[in-house]
Amino acid sequence: FFLLPLRAFQYFEETSWGAGTYTHRAITPFEAIIRQGAAMTYQQQIDAVLAGMPREIPKTKIICTLGPKSRTVDVLEKLLCAGMSVARFNFSHGTHEYHQETLNNLHKAMVNTRCMCAVMLDTKGPEIRTGFLKDGNPVKLVAGQEVTVTTDYEMKGDEKTIALSYKSLPRDVAPGSQILIADGSIVLEV
């Protein structure tokens, strides 16, 4: 988890130190929320936190996808210093061990540069494969043409039938649903 830097100048707590002697201590907006709890409305709590945030925090985020050329501590430090605020891990490629090593490197770079960075995990969805075609020849689909989709992956497809590897397809689609094939270059409507 990440902690946002808060300025401790917005709220003051009055403390009694003996007969008639009072002192004021600066507290953070977060402390004020904790102490006042339910007495503050949700909007007051948000306003208190935002009041303590430094103005120099950029509202625009820079997302960098980490890969083989950008996963070393040295390169990650340069990315952080250049303004990277979100490190994207693409789980379509690489093993969990590979990504853990990259995450460890990112942590080291964050410690070295004292720059915070969020992490975004881009996980892959199910891989649905189209089956083989009769005679191995390409087929031409025409817009508006009716096509039968089957989950019998052993069946050889043609211009009227396409085999898909996803056995749960009939349960997961409904009339009006779209099925994207070939990275979305072909769209079928159920």
Side-chain angles (χ1 to χ4, degrees):
F1 69 95
F2 299 100
L3 294 176
L4 293 173
L6 298 176
R7 289 195 182 139
F9 304 114
Q10 301 297 321
Y11 298 91
F12 293 91
E13 167 185 70
E14 214 173 72
T15 307
S16 173
W17 282 9
T21 306
Y22 292 98
T23 184
H24 295 284
R25 182 179 77 82
I27 62 174
T28 66
F30 183 72
E31 286 178 291
I33 292 169
I34 297 299
R35 291 188 183 161
Q36 294 180 1
M40 294 178 80
T41 66
Y42 181 72
Q43 187 59 49
Q44 288 171 327
Q45 292 175 16
I46 297 295
D47 291 343
V49 170
L50 292 177
M53 290 185 65
R55 293 198 183 276
E56 57 272 4
I57 290 180
K59 294 190 179 10
T60 301
K61 304 299 179 210
I62 299 174
I63 302 171
C64 300
T65 300
L66 303 183
K69 299 282 186 184
S70 59
R71 64 187 296 260
T72 64
V73 175
D74 183 51
V75 172
L76 290 167
E77 287 174 354
K78 290 175 184 173
L79 288 170
L80 287 167
C81 290
M84 174 176 69
S85 51
V86 180
R88 176 180 172 264
F89 288 69
N90 185 359
F91 274 73
S92 294
H93 309 285
T95 63
H96 286 245
E97 293 76 22
Y98 170 88
H99 291 298
Q100 182 63 58
E101 185 180 320
T102 305
L103 183 62
N104 294 344
N105 289 347
L106 176 62
H107 184 261
K108 288 175 192 168
M110 288 168 48
V111 169
N112 293 347
T113 61
R114 299 181 54 89
C115 293
M116 297 302 290
C117 181
V119 174
M120 179 189 338
L121 306 180
D122 189 351
T123 58
K124 64 180 181 177
E127 292 184 1
I128 302 172
R129 304 278 183 211
T130 54
F132 291 102
L133 300 172
K134 289 180 185 170
D135 302 323
N137 294 325
V139 296
K140 183 174 183 174
L141 298 177
V142 179
Q145 168 186 344
E146 209 167 278
V147 177
T148 301
V149 176
T150 181
T151 58
D152 178 6
Y153 199 62
E154 300 303 315
M155 183 177 179
K156 303 288 186 203
D158 56 25
E159 61 277 341
K160 295 182 181 182
T161 307
I162 298 173
L164 297 178
S165 63
Y166 188 53
K167 295 286 185 198
S168 299
L169 185 69
R171 287 190 308 255
D172 291 344
V173 296
S177 298
Q178 290 186 337
I179 300 173
L180 306 178
I181 299 177
D183 294 324
S185 61
I186 300 171
V187 181
L188 303 177
E189 186 173 314
V190 179

